[in-house]
Amino acid sequence: MAARSPADPFAPLRRDVDMLGRALGETLVEQAGLPFFELEESIRALAKRRRATTGAERARATDELREVVRSLDVPEAERISRAFAHYFQLVNLAEQHHRVRRGRDHDRAGEVDPGSLTALSHVLAEHVPGEEAEALLARASIELVLTAHPTEAQRRTVLDKHRSIAELLDRLDRGRPSPSEERALRRRLREEITLLWQTDEIRHERPRVGDEVKNALFYLEEILHPIVPRIYARLEETMTVAYGAHVVVPPLLRFGSWVGADMDGNPNVTPDVAIDTAMAHAARALALHIAQVLALGGALSQSTRRVAVSDELLAALARERAAHPERADAVEARTQDEPYRRMLRWIEAKLEATREAFVAARAYPERSGALLFGYVSPDALLADLRVIQRSLAAHAGEHAGLGRVRDVARQVEVFGFHLAKLDVRVPAAWVRDSASQDPPDGPGMRAMRALATMQQRVTRQSAESFILSMTRGHEDLLATLKLARAAGLAASVSIVPLFETLDDLERCPREMDAAFADAEYARYVALRGQRQEVMLGYSDSNKDAGIIASSFALYRAQRALAEVARRHGVALTMFHGRGGSIGRGGGPSRRAIESLPPGTLEGRFKLTEQGEVLGWKYLLPAIAERNLDLTTSGVLHASLPELSSGPSDAELADYEGAFTRAAEESLAAYRALVRAPRFAEYFAQSTPIEEIGALPLGSRPARRTGAASIDDLRAIPWVFAWNQSRQMVPGWFGAGRGLRALLRERGLAYVRRMRERWPFFASTLDAIAAALAIADMRIAAEYAGLVEDRTLARTTYCTIALDHGRAVRAVCAILDRPDLLARQSTLSRSIELRNPYVDPMTFAQVDLLRRKRALVRAGQHVPHSLERALLLTINGVAAGLRNTG
């Protein structure tokens, strides 16, 4: 009898994609007519034939596709682009849902994710003494920082509809509905898809900072706040399983935000906006706590006629009544013999008074003053909750509400009265200018005063880090210290240098050594408990040096910074400014953690969660929970040397020496490309960078100062433009020359062993392989054809395409594969699924760009409909590639 083949793990995904595709097709027939649907289907068939064939047949299909797209008028091109963009939105949702389903299936089968907290418990029990694990937890700090840029290419209205579709998919898949219920759910799906088609997906104006703050608050309130207790419960369970006794886990996982406080290059974010954002966070945090306390009050209905409570709880109630007799009757009404409910009523009343005080202070700052009734800090609220906890623990409450009180206490520990700690970021030049004055003034000083105001009006946890974009040296840190003291701040501000360019990364260890050696700065660090945070920029370093040289520079900087900090007895936290795309340090967080240099984590990890990936990583609670689980587990695992299976020190030094040559070759290739005399002209004409600059994505301008140069262009639109044209230069260029040099000098066997033994190299190689696979030199040639000077187009494109070919051959050789990606990998299947559908939008975009530029050259007006159609293709390609910048 033949062996039974394993079930295809992608079959349910294909089923969902087919179902959603059919629903979209029905919608197109209904909303746009049968002739339009037939046109869309014919274009889709052409694109699929183009991808399924080779040689002359592919060339014929390409010509036919190009001609069909050129024959479309602008309204038809817009509708076709919308149709394919909507398809990708649905595919993205199906893939997200499949991730949730696979995780659920693994749980049901008793399978353990090797990177999860559950898996960590087995490793800890075998290799790490309990006291060492507890010491790690005590010093651990994991902070995820939400940013607004680059924001989602879709409106919040569209995201809300996406979430509704995801919930319907889950109900269809999970609830085992009856036939009538299934028909009703499918009707709801069709309704949501039709509403999507009838919704304008393009913003007509750039979002305001307040809109971005609301978007960040959505993830904090709706997703992260509810799931945080589950992460901590799982971590405590992990420790209990490992060591056979309950271990109380300190609040090591926290959240931050740049939204509303990042003043670097965004004139719309002012000190007043930052203060207002902090106050808004406080009001929302308190509203969340009030809702949770109300729910607890409904649940903890224990009566003293049935169960005893602690004397401590009764004494706390007596104190409240004695301190506030004028409120007692109203607060304690209908709680006779129900002491938990009565205590929670007092907590609710104090929280309401605290929230009202914050709201009043936000509207009338001059009225801020002492709080006569309420909570002066989250610690005071926690103290009241702990009284209830201890009473329940001592009086048969383990299964009568104790877990729920613990969950609320966890939420207060993590979110406090600030929800997410705001990081204030300013250009270091502002600080230098302000500190040069006596007395200090200017934008740098005003930003520092804003941070002080946030701490005074909300809590100290409301804002702490003062980040210096484009830090030059240790003098910038001393200048910031001068401003902090002028603002009345001392240890409560964290001075954070941000090192971004290749030169900055190479100099930063010396600069931090000089800062720690300065007596004045050393006193400041001592006041902060010998703690220092340093931020490393992945985006601008990549734009400056290319993928291989920048990745290695970041790696070496971390190694050297950790050594400098150890010499000075400083606990260093590396703040990783990673973006969403590969060219900006993007990729799975767990993989990024594993690739960090050994000895640089020590349990302290801070990471930006970019706006573009928030929807993908956090829109669905199950996926968000898994991300937090993997990140927490990854940091703890990588911080324990006993668990390291990496190379020895001597072996690592040899690998680093070998990679140095590859980085030098890669840097030379990259800079020869981007510093060529007419490269800016090629970039401007072979990508839709001008249109991306006009796309109302976020409140921050695309350029730092407005100058029309590549140096002034921010890394986000830089990467976005390359991605749209499928050239993907930031994700891989230079790898061909660099890896070929490595193979030539060390040999294939050595390089393969280096990949197996050195996580940094393995992670870098995987990222490059993914970028190479997503890049498409045939599509890139269509964009290169937009460059007016044919010689410039040919020479620059050939330089890019040749290095792509070299890189593909080198990566495949090292990985010992015929193709860049494993055939059954999720990414491989996703690319294979998407390519035939992205192609029509890219061909449409190229044609629309050609039409627009012809009108501009002729001095004619560019119709709004043409501009809009172009923006729709950008939106659609971003959805298809699941990536912006």
Side-chain angles (χ1 to χ4, degrees), residues 568-615:
H568 289 275
V570 173
L572 186 66
T573 297
M574 305 282 192
F575 183 5
H576 301 271
R578 291 178 175 268
S581 64
I582 291 168
R584 297 181 56 237
S589 296
R590 172 75 189 218
R591 192 72 165 126
I593 293 165
E594 290 172 347
S595 69
L596 296 177
T600 60
L601 260 180
E602 297 294 328
R604 296 179 293 274
F605 183 70
K606 189 172 177 180
L607 174 75
T608 50
E609 292 283 31
Q610 296 287 346
E612 69 176 29
V613 299
L614 290 180

Side-chain angles (χ1 to χ4, degrees), residues 117 223 226-235 407 621-622 625 629:
L117 286 168
I223 308 296
I227 68 176
V228 154
R230 298 202 288 272
I231 297 298
Y232 277 98
R234 193 170 300 134
L235 183 52
D407 287 351
E625 189 171 341
D629 183 300

Side-chain angles (χ1 to χ4, degrees), residues 560-851:
L561 285 168
E563 179 55 35
V564 167
R566 275 191 287 271
R567 285 204 317 270
H568 289 275
V570 173
L572 186 66
T573 297
M574 305 282 192
F575 183 5
H576 301 271
R578 291 178 175 268
S581 64
I582 291 168
R584 297 181 56 237
S589 296
R590 172 75 189 218
R591 192 72 165 126
I593 293 165
E594 290 172 347
S595 69
L596 296 177
T600 60
L601 260 180
E602 297 294 328
R604 296 179 293 274
F605 183 70
K606 189 172 177 180
L607 174 75
T608 50
E609 292 283 31
Q610 296 287 346
E612 69 176 29
V613 299
L614 290 180
W616 182 247
K617 295 177 73 172
Y618 294 104
L619 183 65
L620 303 185
I623 294 177
E625 189 171 341
R626 183 171 184 272
N627 275 314
L628 296 182
D629 183 300
L630 293 176
T631 300
T632 304
S633 171
V635 171
L636 296 177
H637 189 282
S639 299
L640 291 164
E642 296 94 328
L643 306 183
S644 172
S645 57
S648 65
D649 290 345
E651 189 181 359
L652 183 60
D654 189 52
Y655 291 152
E656 290 174 354
F659 199 72
T660 299
R661 176 67 174 151
E664 291 169 350
E665 287 287 330
S666 177
L667 176 63
Y670 179 81
R671 287 191 168 168
L673 174 72
V674 301
R675 295 183 178 181
R678 299 181 63 193
F679 176 76
E681 185 180 342
Y682 175 86
F683 173 68
Q685 294 182 24
S686 72
T687 72
I689 184 60
E690 180 183 340
E691 289 69 27
I692 288 170
L695 193 64
L697 289 178
S699 67
R700 195 169 79 164
R703 297 183 181 274
R704 294 183 184 275
T705 66
S709 69
I710 287 180
D711 287 343
D712 193 62
L713 185 69
R714 290 191 176 278
I716 296 160
W718 164 261
V719 174
F720 197 167
W722 285 119
N723 288 359
Q724 287 279 311
S725 67
R726 297 298 288 272
Q727 297 179 84
M728 311 289 287
V729 161
W732 61 267
F733 189 84
R737 186 164 152 187
L739 293 175
R740 189 171 68 173
L742 182 61
L743 287 166
R744 184 174 60 248
E745 295 180 7
R746 296 292 181 132
L748 181 59
Y750 177 93
V751 177
R752 284 180 176 173
R753 185 170 67 253
M754 180 169 145
R755 176 183 175 269
E756 291 171 3
R757 298 283 295 151
W758 190 19
F760 163 76
F761 182 50
S763 176
T764 302
L765 201 66
D766 288 347
I768 291 169
L772 288 167
I774 297 169
D776 189 317
M777 290 300 104
R778 290 188 178 92
I779 292 293
E782 301 290 327
Y783 285 87
L786 294 169
V787 179
E788 295 175 29
D789 186 317
R790 303 311 303 151
T791 302
L792 173 64
R794 184 171 55 255
T795 56
T796 309
Y797 170 77
C798 286
T799 299
I800 293 171
L802 285 171
D803 198 64
H804 183 272
R806 283 192 293 263
V808 168
R809 290 189 294 274
V811 171
C812 287
I814 297 168
L815 298 178
D816 195 18
R817 293 178 192 155
D819 301 297
L820 287 163
L821 303 174
R823 276 292 182 188
Q824 295 302 313
S825 72
T826 301
L827 179 57
S828 175
R829 296 298 293 267
S830 183
I831 293 172
E832 184 180 333
L833 175 69
R834 291 161 185 273
N835 270 337
Y837 299 88
V838 177
D839 291 353
M841 290 186 292
T842 57
F843 276 87
Q845 187 179 110
V846 168
D847 185 62
L848 292 169
L849 285 169
R850 186 174 282 112
R851 296 186 203 188

Side-chain angles (χ1 to χ4, degrees), residues 202-222:
I202 297 293
R203 295 188 183 97
H204 294 286
E205 58 184 26
R206 195 171 289 276
R208 294 166 294 185
V209 176
D211 299 324
E212 294 175 333
V213 171
K214 289 176 184 175
N215 193 52
L217 287 170
F218 164 79
Y219 289 103
L220 289 163
E221 294 176 291
E222 300 290 330

Side-chain angles (χ1 to χ4, degrees), residues 379-499:
D379 289 341
L381 168 58
L382 271 173
D384 281 352
L385 290 171
R386 300 294 189 212
V387 170
I388 298 175
Q389 268 187 260
R390 287 190 289 271
S391 179
L392 284 167
H395 296 89
E398 180 66 33
H399 301 289
L402 178 57
R404 297 182 66 165
V405 179
R406 283 178 182 151
D407 287 351
V408 176
R410 275 295 185 205
Q411 289 168 324
V412 174
E413 281 183 331
V414 173
F415 297 100
F417 291 173
H418 61 285
L419 199 58
K421 186 183 293 182
L422 290 176
D423 286 353
V424 175
R425 184 170 73 144
V426 303
W430 284 11
V431 171
R432 291 191 292 269
D433 291 344
S434 293
S436 67
Q437 304 173 37
D438 191 21
D441 200 4
M445 189 66 236
R446 289 192 288 274
M448 184 65 76
R449 290 195 189 105
L451 190 149
T453 300
M454 286 186 269
Q455 291 190 355
Q456 292 159 6
R457 290 193 196 167
V458 187
T459 65
R460 177 171 167 172
Q461 292 75 34
S462 180
E464 182 181 20
S465 294
F466 195 85
I467 302 171
L468 308 174
S469 181
M470 289 293 176
T471 299
R472 284 201 311 221
H474 70 281
E475 297 89 352
D476 292 341
L477 281 70
L478 298 175
T480 309
L481 184 56
K482 179 180 178 181
L483 301 190
R485 288 174 175 168
L489 297 170
S492 64
V493 61
S494 174
I495 299 171
V496 184
L498 167 52
F499 299 105

Side-chain angles (χ1 to χ4, degrees), residues 539-553:
S539 304
D540 281 290
S541 59
N542 175 280
K543 182 169 174 276
D544 181 39
I547 184 72
I548 285 186
S550 65
S551 297
F552 196 44

